């Protein structure tokens, strides 16, 4: 399982390249020119590549021993509004390049966090002491967010401040898949799934310390992504990458 899971996305190229031509089309034919490879191998395979099922080879992974869905982006799409409307993965994720040629690219949150700028929204923020509540909505029509296995974490962070702008209290809540590891390396099964599902509008509520009564005047709410190794689950302190905030919202009470 380890080899197939790793090489599904990272085979036949340097990791830093992201998704290149051979990731989807397969390796070029040795000894042939690229024009010959296109004619013999790539062009005949184009019909299959236009179907959403093609994307499952990298974006759908089950542990063969536990049967647990480690990555379920394709399954999420099958149950989504996008699928019902006939919108495929390729319709959203194949970018228009030079000369009108479309390509997959590597336009994920790690390269361009602002792809989620209008797809996640915070609304109805209420301070009803000793509780603060809000709705967090995933407007992506085709899959959950974060759209990955347990290494990608979406975090909402709430900074509560006084009338002078000083932080009194902060709250962090995370959305991800937590997995049990097999041999300390490979995800074996999903222990907890807090991803925001496609079209979901989730109510979040947090209790506040009694010492804050009457002191809170402002909340600054931010959304950002973190990359955390599987073995650290949702521990943001162990992140090896943190995005800039792609949503920042200020609420005055």
């Amino acid at each position: 399982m380890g080899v197939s899971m790793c090489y599904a996305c990272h085979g036949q190229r340097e990791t830093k390249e992201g998704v290149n031509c051979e990731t989807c089309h397969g390796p070029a034919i040795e000894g042939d020119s690229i024009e010959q490879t296109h004619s013999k191998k790539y062009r005949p395979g184009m019909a299959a590549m236009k179907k959403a099922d093609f994307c499952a080879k990298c974006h759908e992974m089950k542990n063969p021993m536990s049967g647990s869905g480690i990555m379920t982006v394709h399954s999420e799409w099958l149950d989504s509004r996008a699928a019902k409307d006939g919108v495929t993965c390729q319709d959203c994720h194949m970018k228009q390049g030079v000369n009108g040629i479309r390509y997959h690219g590597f336009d994920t949150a790690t390269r361009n966090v602002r792809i989620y700028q209008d797809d996640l929204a915070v609304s109805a923020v209420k301070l009803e002491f000793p509780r603060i509540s809000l709705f967090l909505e995933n407007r992506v029509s085709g899959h959950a967010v974060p759209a990955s296995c347990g290494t990608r974490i979406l975090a909402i962070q709430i900074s509560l401040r006084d009338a002078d702008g000083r932080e009194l209290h902060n709250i962090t809540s995370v959305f991800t898949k937590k997995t049990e590891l097999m041999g300390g390396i490979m995800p074996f099964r999903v222990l907890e799934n807090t991803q925001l599902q496609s079209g979901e509008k989730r109510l979040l509520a947090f209790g506040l310390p009694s010492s804050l009564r009457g002191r809170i005047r402002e909340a600054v709410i931010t959304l950002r992504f973190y990359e955390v190794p599987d073995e650290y689950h949702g521990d943001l302190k162990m992140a090896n990458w943190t995005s800039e905030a792609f949503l920042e919202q200020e609420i005055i009470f």
Side-chain angles (χ1 to χ4, degrees), residues 111-176:
R111 297 290 180 96
N112 177 17
V113 71
R114 300 207 175 272
I115 62 174
Y116 284 107
Q117 181 117 31
D118 298 320
D119 290 328
L120 294 166
V122 170
S123 62
V125 182
K126 293 182 181 179
L127 176 61
E128 299 170 315
F129 204 86
R131 189 180 93 143
I132 186 169
S133 63
L134 56 88
F135 282 98
L136 180 58
E137 181 181 4
N138 174 13
R139 294 174 176 172
V140 177
S141 64
H143 57 74
V145 176
S148 64
C149 37
T151 58
R152 179 71 50 78
I153 296 173
L154 168 68
I156 184 168
Q157 295 159 325
I158 306 170
S159 173
L160 299 176
R161 303 176 183 182
D162 65 16
D164 295 320
R166 291 182 297 241
E167 184 174 82
L168 303 169
H169 186 64
N170 62 75
I171 300 163
T172 299
S173 187
V174 300
F175 308 88
T176 188

Side-chain angles (χ1 to χ4, degrees), residues 13-173:
R13 62 184 175 83
E14 294 291 331
T15 304
K16 64 183 179 182
E17 290 182 41
V19 179
N20 71 6
C21 303
E22 290 188 337
T23 304
C24 296
H25 290 278
I29 301 172
E30 188 174 354
D32 279 4
S33 67
I34 191 62
E35 291 82 4
Q36 291 170 318
T37 296
H38 266 276
S39 177
K40 294 178 184 178
K41 181 177 182 179
Y42 290 171
R43 198 167 291 117
M46 288 298 294
M49 292 182 64
K50 293 178 180 179
K51 298 178 181 178
D53 291 353
F54 183 86
C55 304
K57 71 173 186 175
C58 286
H59 297 285
E60 188 79 13
M61 297 180 189
K62 286 187 178 181
N63 183 294
M65 296 177 66
S66 68
S68 188
I70 306 302
M71 183 180 288
T72 54
V73 183
H74 182 253
S75 295
E76 294 160 14
W77 174 82
L78 287 172
D79 292 332
S80 73
R81 188 180 81 242
K84 293 179 176 62
D85 291 343
V87 179
T88 66
C89 313
Q90 292 89 333
D91 289 331
C92 294
H93 294 284
M94 292 293 289
K95 307 300 181 183
Q96 196 78 27
V98 295
N99 301 322
I101 298 172
R102 302 183 79 199
Y103 71 103
H104 187 304
F106 201 45
D107 198 22
T108 68
T110 54
R111 297 290 180 96
N112 177 17
V113 71
R114 300 207 175 272
I115 62 174
Y116 284 107
Q117 181 117 31
D118 298 320
D119 290 328
L120 294 166
V122 170
S123 62
V125 182
K126 293 182 181 179
L127 176 61
E128 299 170 315
F129 204 86
R131 189 180 93 143
I132 186 169
S133 63
L134 56 88
F135 282 98
L136 180 58
E137 181 181 4
N138 174 13
R139 294 174 176 172
V140 177
S141 64
H143 57 74
V145 176
S148 64
C149 37
T151 58
R152 179 71 50 78
I153 296 173
L154 168 68
I156 184 168
Q157 295 159 325
I158 306 170
S159 173
L160 299 176
R161 303 176 183 182
D162 65 16
D164 295 320
R166 291 182 297 241
E167 184 174 82
L168 303 169
H169 186 64
N170 62 75
I171 300 163
T172 299
S173 187

